[in-house]
Amino acid sequence: MEISTILDKIHLQIQPLLSQGKVADYIPALANVNHQEFAMAVTLNNGEFYGVGNYQQHFSIQSISKVFSFTLALRHYKKKLYRRVWREPSGDPFNSLIQLEHENGIPRNPFINAGAIVVCDSLISKAADGELALKDLLTFIRLISADDTIGIDESVASSELQHGFRNSALANLMKSFGNIDNDVEQVLTTYFKQCSVSMNCQQLSRAFLYLANHGIDPITQKQILTSAQTKRVNALMLTCGHYDASGDFAFQVGLPGKSGVGGGIVAIIPGKMSIAVYSPALNEFGNSLVGTKALELFTTYTGLSIF
Amino acid sequence: MEISTILDKIHLQIQPLLSQGKVADYIPALANVNHQEFAMAVTLNNGEFYGVGNYQQHFSIQSISKVFSFTLALRHYKKKLYRRVWREPSGDPFNSLIQLEHENGIPRNPFINAGAIVVCDSLISKAADGELALKDLLTFIRLISADDTIGIDESVASSELQHGFRNSALANLMKSFGNIDNDVEQVLTTYFKQCSVSMNCQQLSRAFLYLANHGIDPITQKQILTSAQTKRVNALMLTCGHYDASGDFAFQVGLPGKSGVGGGIVAIIPGKMSIAVYSPALNEFGNSLVGTKALELFTTYTGLSIF
Amino acid sequence: MEISTILDKIHLQIQPLLSQGKVADYIPALANVNHQEFAMAVTLNNGEFYGVGNYQQHFSIQSISKVFSFTLALRHYKKKLYRRVWREPSGDPFNSLIQLEHENGIPRNPFINAGAIVVCDSLISKAADGELALKDLLTFIRLISADDTIGIDESVASSELQHGFRNSALANLMKSFGNIDNDVEQVLTTYFKQCSVSMNCQQLSRAFLYLANHGIDPITQKQILTSAQTKRVNALMLTCGHYDASGDFAFQVGLPGKSGVGGGIVAIIPGKMSIAVYSPALNEFGNSLVGTKALELFTTYTGLSIF
Amino acid sequence: MEISTILDKIHLQIQPLLSQGKVADYIPALANVNHQEFAMAVTLNNGEFYGVGNYQQHFSIQSISKVFSFTLALRHYKKKLYRRVWREPSGDPFNSLIQLEHENGIPRNPFINAGAIVVCDSLISKAADGELALKDLLTFIRLISADDTIGIDESVASSELQHGFRNSALANLMKSFGNIDNDVEQVLTTYFKQCSVSMNCQQLSRAFLYLANHGIDPITQKQILTSAQTKRVNALMLTCGHYDASGDFAFQVGLPGKSGVGGGIVAIIPGKMSIAVYSPALNEFGNSLVGTKALELFTTYTGLSIF
């Protein structure tokens, strides 16, 4: 079956599900999206693109940004990064403080909030301040997306900051253990801006291609990560990419991927392609309900699960 | 034996212990005290005063302030206060986040940090802002101490604020559960100032008299608390007044009391008197090492333990 | 007011409460008691006795037995006992495994189940086997109760054993940490028999007199514990005697005491008397609802709270 | 490179590592193995076999047996099994009781001990008793291994039973939550026998082939599991197959696999082959140190990681 045919078929099949799930409503900027929205985009390693639905609709990438920031930190700190953040599944809700308290402020992995905050802190240290760190991150995202227009939705960022008490608790706790180097408020401001990067499915599927090609952007041939680092990112996405439903996602979709509470998910098929999907209503674990289903259908129709 | 004789005897007996223990050193303002200092003061319900050592030496009352703020909050909110803070021993280190996370942000009691922060927040709500809340607290402390000179050591307060990441984590976590009403930074600033009230043993022993007299200041005859509220404060001091050594203190001293990391402890003998002691070196549980011993000797010589 | 008058008054006042609360129903032997039962008994240090209600009605003393077994273990092992069980409030439900797992199998205090199981194990080691340990315990209880007829309700014991999975989990966990010396099954069998000792209020109030008299039975003048050990038992009863409502009991009643899930509570007034109360319906914390109220009224009418 | 060449190359390369790591020594039967042992076996889906080292040396398969028992339980109970055991990574040490206590006795996944004990209990319920359940399990293992000689090492089993206090704690705790149907002792006896199945690398690599072929044994064409169930087992092996180093194994090896404390690991390459490795010295996470390295080299040389 052609990819475009598959996307059309998925588009049809997920229609009845569009009324299910629940949009993230902890901040107005996320709550006020169109609940029925759906988009899916595929970029092959050779650059071919396929899309269905409103795949140029921007949305808040939220936790998907953790993949970008972790990539940048890996490039800079290499294995030294693992002194400050581990690489194992957490088994706790994504914002738990208990694990941090028992393990001296070292988060379980870079895809839970605590881990991503540490990664963000490390990028600030490298860039000298939060604004420069964000500039570096945006430059990187624009580069791998081949799109200079990508930016931050400041209204989302400032909403997040006003409601980010749990993340502030995480950051302060890690600071008390000495695992945050910069000013907590600067780290949180930077972190929430990072989460508020606004992208569409087309850009996201393009941006993740390096993870489907051993760390080398298959279009520009630029090396983003080493092959081993790429394997690490993919292994982490598979085991920890979807909060407390990572095991279910590994089973249902069978691809390394990362979801965000804004309703986006990006997954990669090693050696072949990158797939982005968007639908804002979430399942009970905080992952896009329709997005997860669409990816499951995609691996079913293509037979391209890793298992 | 006369009280003055007892105090002299204790003063002699604790000499060899003055070189033991460890002064709190997490902020310079606390670390830079004279480690060998010792003072003890007794005020009877009839107003008679006995002192030994440098009982007019001021020090940071730290957690002893929790008794004053809890008293004020009880006066204002009465039983409604217990919706926001419980009244049971915690069994966890005094600054644990785990219990808070499992119990929806409701701290175990008003004498662990989380509980005292909630109490502080409640006083800010009542007073309209943090500065006014502090003014109320100081007015109250001066009243029951019969001493208008008592104030806040601002250098201690600002040091605390710069190192208070763990307390900030607690406050933000409770805020995420909706159990902090005011701005977190304002609450913490107020809380650290409250802890930085500077008093001496004479003032403290005078100030606690209402707890030794069913809630009525025995000298001025002013009612501070009801008899039932007083019983509650005393029961809490006995079961939770000394962090993770409350059980040991109940055994060794056998009196309701409250200690502070600055090296002070105040204890009361219901119906009879109030005793304050100061010595900055702490035992492994964060309570004044010599202070605990001095109080134990006092109950041994007077036979006035509650058991 | 005369004690007999006070008891009559209490008897009258608690009538409306007799229909409240919930009898322990996890085993039939406990569920099949008369829910409306009430009895109260006071024995003064001089031997005078006062009772109201059916104070010769036997019931399962359950956790009250922990005071007897801890007393025996203290007599034998003295301070060495504290290597295996701590002396601090737990703040966790009485049968929690979490604290044990974090603290290497050392229970918080001898009055939570884990602690009482360790104490029971220590008595078995001393006596050579479980049967002999039980015989020692019964001999001791009969001695301090001045009643040779006291025995074990074997039907309760065997019911407990069949439903004691949580206690078995505790014992096995502590065994895995090396804190149980004997065979787990033998320890549990012995422990459940100890909890199934059957006594009435008259016997219990007599038995606890040594705790109201510095460790010396005031009638026979036999020394049961040293004065310091007695202080320790009383301090533990005050801070940990009533599961997760110990703080509330300290406040409401203001006396060292120990409750059992069978509906009994015994409390002592140092230097004066011992009071036992029985009413099988429990409050939400597993303590006798009417029993707690009756003791509160008793301290109110006599003015003999320790605070 | 030919597979036989690759195996020889690996055999050479791991030599210096054979003196590292630490053999499991909690029971003598496991401690008394030859620490320097190494074997590796590959069976292709077409039946071709390659081996290096002493690949007919039997060892205790331990936790590898969890894959077999889970497979049988899935066959029988299908999705109903998930009411009693979840499918998510645990993030806690493999024998933690804390998660069980917070989550009502439902273990996180079938590959931690608690989960495997529940699975074992479900097989006993199905088979009527523990002996019959074991017979079923052995019949199944012999079938998929195409080897009728496979049996249980009873000396290992009885050693395990005598030291299995932690597992007994887990089982009793789950029983207290109603998640164990049969007698706890019977369940544990059966569970320890299951873990004491003795196999060699050749048999293990043969036995796992159905997981490399969508649930159908590629040699006999018998359907063991559905394709979806197979995906589930593989996803679980990838996310939870190696205790607290599952994330590291996913990264380093990049294959679904399961390790046992006896020193064995089996991994599969979907659509292609199954690989078993044995070397008894363990790394800090309880997985075969040399075994993990050998598998990493295998995916490096073949380029067959799933990432």
Side-chain angles (χ1 to χ4, degrees), chain A residues 87-91 108 214 228 231-232 234-235 238-239 244-248 250-254 256 270 299 305-307, chain D residues 87-91 108 214 228 231-232 234-235 238-239 243-248 250-253 256 270 299 305-307:
Chain A
R87 303 151 299 182
E88 290 296 324
S90 84
R108 277 260 144 183
H214 308 290
K231 213 167 149 186
R232 176 61 79 185
N234 288 343
L238 199 75
T239 53
D244 213 18
S246 296
D248 264 8
F251 161 63
Q252 284 167 334
V253 177
T299 52
S305 152
I306 57 174
F307 296 120
Chain D
R87 303 152 300 182
E88 289 296 325
S90 84
R108 278 259 144 185
H214 308 292
K231 213 167 150 186
R232 175 62 79 184
N234 288 344
L238 197 76
T239 53
Y243 313 126
D244 213 18
S246 296
D248 264 8
F251 160 63
Q252 284 167 334
V253 177
T299 51
S305 151
I306 57 174
F307 297 120

Side-chain angles (χ1 to χ4, degrees), chain D residues 4-276:
Chain D
S4 56
T5 316
I6 289 173
L7 292 185
D8 287 341
K9 213 168 148 184
I10 291 171
H11 196 188
L12 207 67
Q13 262 186 285
I14 55 87
Q15 293 301 322
L17 299 175
L18 283 175
S19 53
Q20 298 181 13
K22 196 165 165 302
V23 167
D25 56 3
Y26 64 98
I27 57 170
L30 288 180
N32 296 335
V33 297
N34 178 355
H35 297 209
Q36 305 277 322
E37 201 82 63
F38 174 77
M40 194 164 184
V42 175
T43 305
L44 304 191
N45 282 10
N46 67 9
E48 279 177 41
F49 174 80
Y50 303 89
V52 76
N54 193 358
Y55 55 78
Q56 295 194 323
Q57 167 73 47
H58 280 65
F59 56 89
S60 196
I61 67 170
Q62 295 291 327
S63 290
I64 298 172
S65 70
K66 294 170 181 171
V67 177
F68 299 136
S69 60
F70 181 54
T71 295
L72 279 188
L74 260 187
R75 280 166 65 100
H76 189 68
Y77 292 99
K78 302 187 176 70
K79 287 193 177 174
K80 275 187 293 184
L81 187 62
Y82 300 131
R83 294 178 197 162
R84 297 183 57 189
V85 57
W86 291 346
R87 303 152 300 182
E88 289 296 325
S90 84
D92 276 314
F94 64 101
N95 50 11
S96 168
L97 288 111
I98 295 177
Q99 176 266 328
L100 280 183
E101 188 163 30
H102 281 166
E103 299 179 339
N104 297 311
I106 308 294
R108 278 259 144 185
N109 66 64
F111 294 162
I112 53 173
N113 287 7
I117 290 169
V118 163
V119 166
C120 180
D121 178 58
S122 81
L123 294 180
I124 295 172
S125 294
K126 184 197 144 210
D129 73 33
E131 278 310 306
L132 290 172
L134 274 172
K135 217 179 128 198
D136 287 354
L137 184 71
L138 270 181
T139 302
F140 172 67
I141 294 177
R142 288 167 179 167
L143 172 80
I144 58 175
S145 307
D147 191 328
D148 277 354
T149 66
I150 293 166
I152 289 165
D153 184 333
E154 298 282 350
S155 72
V156 172
S158 72
S159 269
E160 296 268 11
L161 192 59
Q162 280 162 42
H163 295 80
F165 304 115
R166 171 71 65 144
N167 285 309
S168 180
L170 292 169
N172 276 288
L173 180 56
M174 293 190 291
K175 181 91 179 172
S176 79
F177 281 111
N179 199 20
I180 292 291
D181 291 335
N182 298 285
D183 175 69
V184 168
E185 205 163 315
Q186 186 186 189
V187 174
L188 289 171
T189 304
T190 309
Y191 174 69
F192 287 129
K193 287 193 179 177
Q194 161 196 318
C195 290
S196 303
V197 167
S198 186
M199 292 177 75
N200 63 36
C201 283
Q202 181 162 21
Q203 293 161 341
L204 278 168
S205 70
R206 170 67 184 84
F208 268 61
L209 276 189
Y210 70 100
L211 293 172
N213 194 41
H214 308 292
I216 295 164
D217 184 321
I219 316 230
T220 64
Q221 296 302 323
K222 282 204 179 100
Q223 176 147 15
I224 310 299
L225 291 178
T226 67
S227 176
Q229 287 168 336
T230 308
K231 213 167 150 186
R232 175 62 79 184
V233 177
N234 288 344
L236 274 168
M237 290 202 298
L238 197 76
T239 53
C240 333
H242 305 275
Y243 313 126
D244 213 18
S246 296
D248 264 8
F249 190 90
F251 160 63
Q252 284 167 334
V253 177
L255 295 179
K258 184 74 203 80
S259 72
V261 80
I265 310 179
V266 195
I268 58 111
I269 302 181
K272 297 206 162 57
M273 69 186 78
S274 160
I275 310 143

Side-chain angles (χ1 to χ4, degrees), chain B residues 88 232 238 244 247-248 251, chain C residues 88 108 232 238 247-248 251:
Chain B
E88 290 296 325
R232 175 62 80 185
L238 197 76
D244 214 18
D248 264 8
F251 161 63
Chain C
E88 289 296 324
R108 277 259 145 183
R232 175 62 79 184
L238 198 77
D248 264 8
F251 160 63

Side-chain angles (χ1 to χ4, degrees), chain A residues 61-68 204 208 258-260 264-266:
Chain A
I61 66 170
Q62 296 290 327
S63 289
I64 298 172
S65 70
K66 295 169 181 171
V67 178
F68 300 136
L204 278 169
F208 268 61
K258 185 75 204 76
S259 73
I265 309 179
V266 195

Side-chain angles (χ1 to χ4, degrees), chain C residues 100-262:
Chain C
L100 280 182
E101 189 162 28
H102 281 165
E103 299 179 339
N104 297 312
I106 309 294
R108 277 259 145 183
N109 66 64
F111 294 161
I112 54 173
N113 287 7
I117 290 168
V118 163
V119 166
C120 180
D121 179 58
S122 82
L123 294 180
I124 295 172
S125 294
K126 183 197 145 211
D129 73 33
E131 278 309 306
L132 290 172
L134 274 172
K135 216 179 129 195
D136 287 354
L137 184 71
L138 270 181
T139 302
F140 173 66
I141 294 177
R142 286 166 179 168
L143 172 80
I144 58 174
S145 306
D147 190 329
D148 277 352
T149 66
I150 292 167
I152 289 165
D153 185 332
E154 298 282 349
S155 72
V156 171
S158 72
S159 269
E160 297 267 10
L161 192 58
Q162 280 163 41
H163 295 81
F165 303 116
R166 171 70 67 143
N167 284 311
S168 180
L170 292 169
N172 276 288
L173 180 56
M174 293 191 291
K175 181 90 179 175
S176 78
F177 281 111
N179 199 20
I180 293 290
D181 292 334
N182 298 285
D183 175 68
V184 168
E185 204 162 315
Q186 186 185 190
V187 174
L188 289 171
T189 303
T190 309
Y191 174 68
F192 287 128
K193 286 193 179 177
Q194 162 197 318
C195 290
S196 303
V197 166
S198 187
M199 292 177 75
N200 62 37
C201 282
Q202 181 162 22
Q203 293 160 340
L204 279 168
S205 69
R206 170 67 184 84
F208 269 61
L209 277 188
Y210 70 100
L211 294 172
N213 193 42
H214 308 291
I216 295 164
D217 183 321
I219 315 229
T220 64
Q221 296 303 320
K222 282 202 181 105
Q223 176 145 16
I224 310 299
L225 293 178
T226 66
S227 175
Q229 288 168 335
T230 307
K231 213 166 149 186
R232 175 62 79 184
V233 177
N234 288 342
L236 273 168
M237 291 203 295
L238 198 77
T239 54
C240 333
H242 305 274
Y243 312 128
D244 213 18
S246 296
D248 264 8
F249 190 90
F251 160 63
Q252 284 167 333
V253 177
L255 295 178
K258 184 74 202 78
S259 73
V261 79

